Amino acid sequence: MAEAHPVGFQWVMEAKRRGARVIHVDPRFTRTSAVADLHVPIRAGTDIAFLGGLVNHVLSNDLDFREYVVAYTNAAAIIDGDYRDTEDLDGLFSGYDPETGRYDPDTWQYQHPDDEDGDGHRGDDGGDGEDQGSYGGPGSSEHSSQESHDSAHSESHGSGGAPVPHKPKRDETLQDPNCVFQILKRHFARYTPEMVKEVCGIEPEQFAEVADAMTSNSGRERTSALCYAVGWTHHSVGAQMIRTASILQTLLGNMGRPGGGILALRGHASIQGSTDIPTLFNILPGYLRMPNAEMHLDLDSYLQPDEGKAGFWGDMRKYMVSLLKAYWGDAATPENEFCFDYLPRITGDHSTYNTVLGQIEGRSKGYFLVGENPAVGSANGKMQRLGMANLDWLVVRDLQMIESATFWKDGPEIETGELVTEDIGTEVFFLPAATHVEKAGSFTQTQRLLQWRDKAVDPPEDCRSELQFYFELGNRIREKLRDSTDERDRPLLDLTWDYPVDTEGDPDGQAVLREINGTGPDGEALSAYTQLEADGSTSCGCWIYCGVYADDVNQARRRKPHWEQDWVAQEWGWAWPANRRQLYNRASAAPDGSPWSERKRYITWDADQGKWVGPDVPDFIVDRAPDHVPEEGAEGPDAIGGQDAFIMQTDGKAWLFSPNGVADGPLPSHYEPPESPVHNPLYGQQNNPSRRTLDHPVNPINPSYSEVFPFVFTTYRLTEHHTAGGMSRTLPYLTELQPEPFCEVSPRLARMRGLTHGEWVTIATARSAIEARVLVTDRLRSLRLGTQVVEQVGLPYHWGRNGITQGDSPNDLVNVTMDPNVFIQDKVGTCDIRPGRRPRGPALTAYVEDYRRRAGVDTETGSPGTPPRREGLTT
Amino acid sequence: MTATPEAPRAGGIHPNSFHGPLPDVAADAGYVDHPPRKGFFTDTSVCIGCKACEVACKEWNEVPADGYQLSGMSYDNTQALGAATWRHVAFVEKPLNPTTTDLGLPGMGPPGFEGYESGVQTAKPRPEDQATESGDGSIRWLMSSDVCKHCTHAACLDVCPTGSLFRTEFGTVVVQQDICNGCGYCVPACPYGVIDLSEDDHKAHKCTLCYDRLKEDQTPACAQACPTESIQFGDLDELRERADARVAELHEKGVDVARLYGHDPGDGVGGDGAFFLLLDEPEVYGLPPDPVVTTRDIASIWKHVGAAAATLAGLAAVSFLGGKRS
């Protein structure tokens, strides 16, 4: 965190000053480790085993916060009797289809409360899956399993849980062998400290220290927080890593409580905002799902899975209709389903890596790169550049002439001859962009906090803001289509597209923010998403942002210093939703509404006033008593009971076990990274069985446990440089701080390969080979796992061929294998490292070819074949 | 800049002494009504090595970038203070308690790395070896932002023949490039190796403690930028109190290695205007353990010169005058 978020890290130092204990788990010893109380070196990519070890420690020693777990989680829920765990199937869950690599979650579902025979259906009738007596609206478990089956859908459950058709049968004593709590215990039983040593290379003494620290600092009186970034998400099991953390924090009662929680450290380029008002293919603002061409033929079928479900997610119609009104204004009427048909539809996985493959295969013709530099910043740089070389046109908007704009004349493939400039037909447009101080706008980051930035200076010369660019582009396209009678052009022509602009033509960002906030029937700014209606009388660009412009004041622009406020500091910026700073804060009180302890008092029930009170906005229906029992058949927010703290879940509980919504299993399991020198000690199933591969000659994969690629590599960041380097390697003051590309290795690896500190080395994978200087340092540890010692090569990834400091891009080494939930690549792989500089020109391709040949990489398909399952694995 | 007969005695051993405690440097330099002495307290126990101080300083003072070379000195590519570097963050990797023996392999690199098997030891750090309040099984990483010390007795100031270097009303030491003749006397005079001649204009340059910002009642750029308040700016005596409290706090937490450096008015430079909290010996950070103002012995040097001259004159007189008798 100190490396990538030094300014935010001041609060960790402040907490430390006040007595907090800081534990840093990372493959390398970083500037965070230097000031932490404990650094735990871990083999890159093995965090599920580590966190699972902590979960097992909690469960085996009865260290969970039992009252919290029983009341607020689905620990007591009983699962379908046909459920089979990875313990039963040596690394697979029931419902796996080896042909597609997907799971059918049918056997992961809750048993119905009236289910006699545990077959998952109501009564004893071997029913047809139609639920009756469910507390939500219509919805069959079959439909939801189909949707979960299509993992392009699972991301749209972001803000609310995946729907379950009914609340589960429960065993409040947590003893039933099919209850979640017992399943959890069985699932993690072999994640012992010895196993953690064998998988992660973490010594049992250190593991014990972490386990004791976390458990002794959780409970009524104290809470612990976890912070993470791409060290957890850039993996083919990334979503499950977060899941494991979530299970741990939920068992310890750290969710929804002050000083607890799980913080995703993000926000540099408003990346939280980039999923809230999304730039992702499969979601709409506020984590509504993008309609699917096959499943969502009309508004009703689109809303059907969630409509009426318990919790605020059940009000989805109101959010969706208001969004459509924001997009199409007066043209959106009840008669035309508010122009629902105007929305583009997805047909499958249109994620970035698949799109790049589409570029290579000629299916995708154009590309906008807006503040993005995939030639350096995305996995498998060559794949990115080959894709761009095959486009008809490419638009690059950036502050500097980045590598993605110049790949056609000086990229690595020009040097090797794999691409020839004259033969590249892509028309490249470079448009200079305004920086974040040259335009007004908001950033949204880790705490869901929107912070507005004023414009400080005018952009120079031709530089323009994105807002101006897209607004102007829309104007010109609409002008061209003005007289069109083609139905196909109506979505563009009917858009609300009128923002006030300044003398330079730059639209007023606050007008856009106000539109996002939403307006009521007479155009007044709304204050809360509970004001949204499904009849078209309200308009709202993003329901979770509703309230940011309440009272026609830009709430995101507030800057009351913390010394003028209480410790929650609600008047600095604005957090979504509803300026609520701590989500799920109902859980900060006991089931009866009293605080868990005075020390951790937050939101409590005031019986006299008949409402929830505290220093934050309650994340609950403000006047719903803790003992409230919803009526049979209640829908939407009415179905929330007084102890359903996790209100966005359809059963109101935190999910230790996920019946739906996660593509690769209801529980996390340790799988090895797609390239690994280690046989999975836990299961015969080596890798994530649902991982998404990209089988193409441009994306070959190293065979695991290969002597040709015996070392692990992982990429990471330095404080001095920023992402792909466009904003740092072009500036003298930053460049001189880290002036040359380097890698980091342990002294033992240096001795093994004859590497000299400060000299050049070459690092090779099946994709490519790069060169860098080497720092031999104790900050990279040789990790002893049982009898095997694993060496890791650390690679700051910031370098490319442009700028003051130039170098090869470590992302050229990375293979694209993706997490099946969110299609994010794994940044861990295997490699070889040798002293000396790399070959130049065509000799480089020959060098890489030679590695592939020796490793047995099939250059036709790019695949060495699946690593064999280890049969007969015993614990 | 000598004290006029009407100016109050500033203390010290005697007026214009080059050494010894000097409670009021600005008065000694001739200021009558002057603000409290300003300085830096750099608490390296909370430094995260982000180098915002280096960048903020260069941005504000328009100091040029000075070289794009990987030093191999951990993450310190700045390497030293100089004419074009007025804040320098040092990074020192110190292995702790190696438990395996030297395998006799030759190697070059950071001290302590050669020849031992890292990662296979589980030695617990000794409390006295803790870095901040922490320590890893095998390494600690010290970070410290170095700067001109703005000494109480500043040798650079003492030896400057042109008056380019002067003492400000804030007690800081500033060099004026338009007066500087580039003689370079100040360079070897500094016991810390701070001030240097620029390759571009051949004048002396160093930290001004953001004199221009102080005049506007603002905080120096480095202190303003530091996210963890490792660099603290303020009145020097208040900073010294704060520092004493911080060391006591750390000692109570078991961080016995914490100590102050440059805080003592009785040291060889009369105490620094910019002093530090360190977590190891000064030499580990590249700082002189016992800095002495190099002009300390000037008075006695002249006395010795005078004595030598008198002796020579006396010998000459004896040899020449004595010979007249015969």
Side-chain angles (χ1 to χ4, degrees):
Chain A
M1 189 175 177
E3 295 282 347
H5 299 268
V7 178
F9 194 75
Q10 67 181 292
W11 302 116
V12 176
M13 296 304 284
E14 181 66 28
K16 193 178 167 205
R17 185 132 199 189
R18 299 181 190 196
R21 191 133 189 265
V22 178
I23 297 172
H24 184 229
V25 183
D26 198 296
R28 63 172 177 148
F29 188 99
T30 70
R31 284 172 265 206
T32 306
S33 324
V35 294
D37 293 292
L38 181 64
H39 171 243
V40 180
I42 187 173
R43 178 163 68 100
T46 62
D47 299 75
I48 291 177
F50 171 66
L51 292 166
L54 291 172
V55 169
N56 186 36
H57 177 83
V58 168
L59 293 172
S60 306
N61 296 293
D62 288 320
L63 293 169
D64 58 289
F65 188 171
R66 186 56 56 91
E67 217 190 317
Y68 179 106
V69 168
V70 171
Y72 297 146
T73 79
N74 69 355
I78 298 181
I79 304 299
D80 190 312
D82 289 333
Y83 167 75
R84 293 290 173 271
D85 189 83
T86 48
E87 290 299 285
D88 308 312
L89 303 178
D90 198 17
L92 294 173
F93 293 97
S94 46
Y96 183 68
D97 179 358
E99 295 289 308
T100 60
R102 316 259 180 122
Y103 278 105
D104 178 348
D106 202 45
T107 54
W108 308 346
Q109 301 308 308
Y110 290 150
Q111 284 188 25
H112 195 280
D114 302 333
D115 185 345
E116 307 281 326
D117 57 6
D119 68 351
H121 304 300
R122 184 185 187 219
D124 196 4
D125 58 356
D128 56 2
E130 282 287 324
D131 63 277
Q132 299 103 33
S134 79
Y135 68 94
S140 69
S141 63
E142 199 183 297
H143 190 178
S144 40
S145 74
Q146 160 62 38
E147 288 171 347
S148 201
H149 201 79
D150 173 4
S151 44
H153 180 54
S154 56
E155 188 167 57
S156 71
H157 298 139
S159 205
V164 281
H166 52 77
K167 278 184 174 171
K169 188 170 167 188
R170 285 169 66 93
D171 171 16
E172 308 295 329
T173 67
L174 308 185
Q175 295 307 310
D176 187 307
N178 285 330
C179 81
V180 164
F181 195 75
Q182 294 301 329
I183 289 175
L184 213 62
K185 285 185 109 159
R186 264 202 318 278
H187 179 83
F188 286 108
R190 287 187 300 122
Y191 288 66
T192 61
E194 292 69 38
M195 183 58 78
V196 170
K197 162 85 174 153
E198 215 184 314
V199 177
C200 312
I202 296 172
E203 296 295 328
E205 298 83 46
Q206 264 209 328
F207 177 80
E209 212 180 325
V210 179
D212 290 340
M214 271 211 86
T215 51
S216 63
N217 200 68
S218 305
R220 282 179 177 262
E221 293 287 331
R222 305 193 69 86
T223 53
S224 310
L226 296 177
C227 299
Y228 74 91
V230 296
W232 271 2
T233 58
H234 281 184
H235 297 286
S236 53
V237 292
Q240 294 285 19
M241 279 188 188
I242 314 306
R243 271 280 295 139
T244 328
S246 170
I247 292 171
L248 178 63
Q249 288 294 66
T250 304
L251 287 172
L252 291 174
N254 281 323
M255 300 305 288
R257 299 184 60 206
I262 303 172
L263 288 88
L265 303 173
R266 65 199 312 222
H268 287 135
S270 189
I271 193 151
Q272 175 66 47
S274 84
T275 50
D276 298 340
I277 314 283
T279 56
L280 302 179
F281 78 94
N282 54 352
I283 47 177
L284 289 171
Y287 301 95
L288 304 174
R289 74 178 70 86
M290 189 72 77
N292 181 291
E294 275 140 44
M295 285 159 34
H296 306 130
L297 300 177
D298 56 23
L299 184 59
D300 285 337
S301 58
Y302 169 84
L303 293 168
Q304 187 257 347
D306 298 287
E307 186 141 44
K309 286 295 189 297
F312 286 94
W313 202 240
D315 277 344
M316 201 163 140
R317 183 177 289 269
K318 299 177 180 176
Y319 316 143
M320 188 57 181
V321 168
S322 300
L323 174 65
L324 293 169
K325 288 296 286 185
Y327 283 155
W328 285 290
D330 293 333
T333 65
E335 290 70 38
N336 61 24
E337 293 204 318
F338 302 101
C339 294
F340 176 75
D341 252 357
Y342 284 179
L343 283 172
R345 307 288 204 269
I346 55 173
T347 54
D349 173 2
H350 308 290
S351 64
T352 178
Y353 293 110
N354 253 311
T355 301
V356 172
L357 200 59
Q359 294 171 353
I360 292 175
E361 293 173 349
R363 290 180 278 114
S364 177
K365 305 291 191 184
Y367 207 16
F368 282 90
L369 291 178
V370 183
E372 183 92 15
N373 192 4
V376 174
S378 292
N380 199 338
K382 175 183 293 191
M383 191 172 95
Q384 307 293 328
R385 292 183 292 267
L386 290 183
M388 290 190 285
N390 208 30
L391 295 165
D392 286 355
W393 53 268
L394 169 66
V395 176
V396 180
R397 283 185 47 84
D398 213 296
L399 311 176
Q400 301 277 357
M401 195 57 71
I402 55 172
E403 289 79 358
S404 299
T406 63
F407 72 94
W408 52 272
K409 57 179 177 126
D410 57 19
E413 290 70 37
I414 305 296
E415 185 200 302
T416 60
E418 290 164 285
L419 286 175
V420 177
T421 303
E422 292 74 23
D423 297 341
I424 296 175
T426 313
E427 193 171 358
V428 182
F429 301 86
F430 183 87
L431 300 174
T435 72
H436 64 93
V437 297
E438 295 164 353
K439 57 192 179 187
S442 64
F443 278 71
T444 314
Q445 45 69 283
T446 295
Q447 299 155 272
R448 294 164 283 105
L449 193 66
L450 280 78
Q451 298 180 89
W452 187 264
R453 310 290 181 86
D454 290 331
K455 179 174 166 175
V457 292
D458 287 325
E461 298 177 50
D462 292 332
C463 297
R464 300 284 182 269
S465 69
E466 266 66 59
L467 196 50
Q468 182 164 4
F469 170 71
Y470 280 111
F471 185 53
E472 182 62 25
L473 186 65
N475 279 336
R476 295 194 195 190
I477 292 175
R478 281 153 56 88
E479 182 58 32
K480 278 183 184 279
L481 297 175
R482 188 161 51 114
D483 298 321
S484 166
T485 51
D486 191 343
E487 271 304 299
R488 207 181 104 154
D489 298 326
R490 290 319 313 166
L492 276 164
L493 293 170
D494 288 344
L495 277 173
T496 61
W497 201 254
D498 52 351
Y499 302 105
V501 297
D502 66 13
T503 49
E504 303 297 319
D506 198 11
D508 178 8
Q510 291 196 123
V512 180
L513 188 66
R514 189 174 189 276
E515 185 186 46
I516 287 171
N517 173 82
T519 51
D522 46 2
E524 84 283 11
L526 295 174
S527 318
Y529 66 77
T530 43
Q531 294 174 295
L532 296 176
E533 298 296 348
D535 60 4
S537 59
T538 57
S539 157
C540 175
C542 180
W543 68 281
I544 54 177
Y545 278 31
C546 187
V548 71
Y549 223 85
D551 305 321
D552 257 304
V553 170
N554 184 346
Q555 307 288 338
R557 200 164 172 265
R558 297 181 302 170
R559 286 292 182 278
K560 194 180 224 182
H562 64 86
W563 52 85
E564 292 175 23
Q565 305 188 57
D566 68 11
W567 62 283
V568 176
Q570 290 183 295
E571 290 181 75
W572 178 283
W574 186 87
W576 68 259
N579 202 26
R580 187 172 291 124
R581 300 295 165 130
Q582 175 81 52
L583 285 185
Y584 297 127
N585 55 38
R586 166 69 181 92
S588 68
D592 68 357
S594 63
W596 289 114
S597 64
E598 266 317 300
R599 192 170 177 278
K600 288 290 172 178
R601 170 186 279 267
Y602 200 64
I603 299 297
T604 53
W605 174 251
D606 183 327
D608 295 328
Q609 293 189 66
K611 58 183 209 173
W612 294 93
V613 298
D616 194 0
V617 177
D619 197 3
F620 208 63
I621 297 161
V622 73
D623 55 1
R624 181 148 304 172
D627 56 3
H628 175 85
V629 176
E631 285 173 19
E632 193 70 25
E635 291 189 1
D638 293 337
I640 296 175
Q643 296 176 14
D644 289 339
F646 290 86
I647 56 166
M648 295 304 290
Q649 304 286 105
T650 51
D651 59 353
K653 305 298 178 198
W655 281 7
L656 294 167
F657 180 102
S658 292
N660 273 327
V662 190
D664 42 1
L667 291 172
S669 316
H670 168 74
Y671 298 115
E672 288 289 319
E675 297 178 352
S676 169
V678 178
H679 291 266
N680 190 344
L682 275 155
Y683 313 107
Q685 180 61 35
Q686 170 78 1
N687 303 116
N688 183 348
S690 296
R691 70 196 182 284
R692 299 296 190 90
T693 57
L694 218 62
D695 295 321
H696 189 277
V698 78
N699 191 40
I701 190 163
N702 295 355
S704 284
Y705 12 94
S706 157
E707 282 178 10
V708 178
F709 299 117
F711 312 117
V712 171
F713 80 88
T714 184
T715 57
Y716 45 69
R717 295 162 201 248
L718 303 167
T719 310
E720 296 86 343
H721 284 297
H722 191 58
T723 60
M727 290 173 74
S728 61
R729 284 185 296 102
T730 50
L731 300 178
Y733 290 155
L734 293 177
T735 301
E736 64 173 342
L737 299 177
Q738 292 285 13
E740 297 189 59
F742 65 90
C743 64
E744 303 184 291
V745 301
S746 74
R748 182 177 173 277
L749 175 53
R751 277 198 309 281
M752 282 172 71
R753 278 291 193 257
L755 311 176
T756 307
H757 179 77
E759 299 291 315
W760 286 100
V761 296
T762 297
I763 303 133
T765 68
R767 273 73 58 195
S768 190
I770 64 166
E771 62 182 14
R773 311 286 283 280
V774 65
L775 296 185
V776 181
T777 168
D778 288 289
R779 291 179 293 99
L780 264 286
R781 297 275 208 87
S782 312
L783 294 172
R784 185 177 292 286
L785 330 168
T787 53
Q788 188 180 3
V789 177
V790 171
E791 291 291 348
Q792 306 187 98
V793 177
L795 282 161
Y797 82 100
H798 307 286
W799 270 271
R801 304 288 182 95
N802 299 5
I804 302 171
T805 167
Q806 301 164 7
D808 293 338
S809 305
N811 272 325
D812 284 5
L813 298 175
V814 178
N815 161 271
V816 177
T817 299
M818 298 168 280
D819 175 297
N821 296 289
V822 290
F823 320 110
I824 290 291
Q825 73 286 347
D826 208 314
K827 66 170 178 167
V828 178
T830 53
C831 69
D832 188 19
I833 185 168
R834 299 278 173 182
R837 302 195 72 155
R838 64 163 170 83
R840 279 13 206 180
L844 175 62
T845 22
Y847 182 79
V848 177
E849 276 301 321
D850 182 60
Y851 264 105
R852 289 181 189 158
R853 198 183 34 77
R854 286 191 290 120
V857 173
D858 182 347
T859 47
E860 279 306 305
T861 65
S863 161
T866 325
R869 281 171 64 90
R870 279 239 307 224
E871 301 301 335
L873 179 71
T874 56
T875 55
Chain B
M1 283 299 183
T2 54
T4 64
E6 292 77 29
R9 175 70 56 86
I13 292 176
H14 57 79
N16 304 325
S17 167
F18 283 126
H19 66 108
L22 183 61
D24 194 338
V25 283
D28 183 59
Y31 295 97
V32 178
D33 281 317
H34 63 81
R37 184 175 178 189
K38 299 291 187 192
F40 286 132
F41 164 45
T42 302
D43 179 359
T44 69
S45 73
V46 298
C47 176
I48 55 172
C50 71
K51 308 177 190 174
C53 52
E54 293 196 32
V55 177
C57 171
K58 292 215 178 190
E59 286 264 305
W60 178 258
N61 294 296
E62 295 181 322
V63 178
D66 57 351
Y68 304 120
Q69 208 183 358
L70 190 75
S71 69
M73 289 163 49
S74 188
Y75 280 6
D76 177 4
N77 294 298
T78 306
Q79 300 189 50
L81 293 173
T85 292
W86 302 353
R87 267 280 175 190
H88 155 234
V89 182
F91 289 79
V92 183
E93 295 178 31
K94 277 197 88 175
L96 297 168
N97 288 344
T99 55
T100 53
T101 52
D102 187 351
L103 299 182
L105 296 172
M108 294 195 15
F113 106 92
E114 53 265 50
Y116 84 92
E117 194 90 45
S118 68
V120 293
Q121 59 211 19
T122 58
K124 298 293 292 179
R126 301 171 303 177
E128 58 268 32
D129 285 344
Q130 294 292 317
T132 76
E133 294 114 78
S134 69
D136 187 65
S138 68
I139 193 167
R140 55 200 284 254
W141 206 3
L142 302 172
M143 295 161 202
S144 168
S145 177
D146 194 15
V147 72
C148 168
K149 311 302 176 291
H150 294 274
C151 309
T152 298
H153 292 290
C156 60
L157 177 58
D158 293 339
V159 305
C160 176
T162 63
S164 159
L165 277 153
F166 73 102
R167 178 81 61 181
T168 73
E169 63 270 36
F170 299 102
T172 58
V173 178
V174 171
V175 54
Q176 302 165 89
Q177 280 79 33
D178 50 350
I179 299 174
C180 172
N181 67 0
C183 72
Y185 289 169
C186 54
V187 178
C190 175
Y192 301 99
V194 171
I195 194 166
D196 202 359
L197 294 182
S198 155
E199 284 173 8
D200 299 325
D201 66 4
H202 307 290
K203 306 292 176 88
H205 294 260
K206 72 171 191 69
C207 164
T208 65
L209 225 145
C210 282
Y211 187 33
D212 50 354
R213 290 176 71 91
L214 297 201
K215 278 185 174 294
E216 299 296 321
D217 210 21
Q218 289 177 350
T219 305
C222 55
Q224 182 77 33
C226 178
T228 57
E229 292 178 2
S230 171
I231 299 174
Q232 297 174 38
F233 166 75
D235 296 351
L236 189 60
D237 40 19
E238 203 244 303
L239 289 177
R240 283 176 177 166
E241 277 173 27
R242 223 191 275 174
D244 286 334
R246 175 62 176 159
V247 173
E249 185 187 350
L250 286 173
H251 286 171
E252 208 170 329
K253 289 184 179 173
V255 188
D256 296 324
V257 282
R259 88 283 304 277
L260 295 178
Y261 174 80
H263 62 296
D264 180 6
D267 73 13
V269 296
D272 290 328
F275 68 102
F276 298 79
L277 187 154
L278 302 177
L279 297 173
D280 210 321
E281 300 292 321
E283 299 94 308
V284 171
Y285 294 86
L287 295 165
D290 181 21
V292 173
V293 60
T294 45
T295 50
R296 180 186 61 183
D297 298 324
I298 277 187
S300 88
I301 287 172
W302 282 114
K303 281 191 199 132
H304 282 87
V305 167
T311 311
L312 272 177
L315 285 172
V318 161
S319 23
F320 282 107
L321 296 174
K324 268 191 185 161
R325 255 184 288 164
S326 57

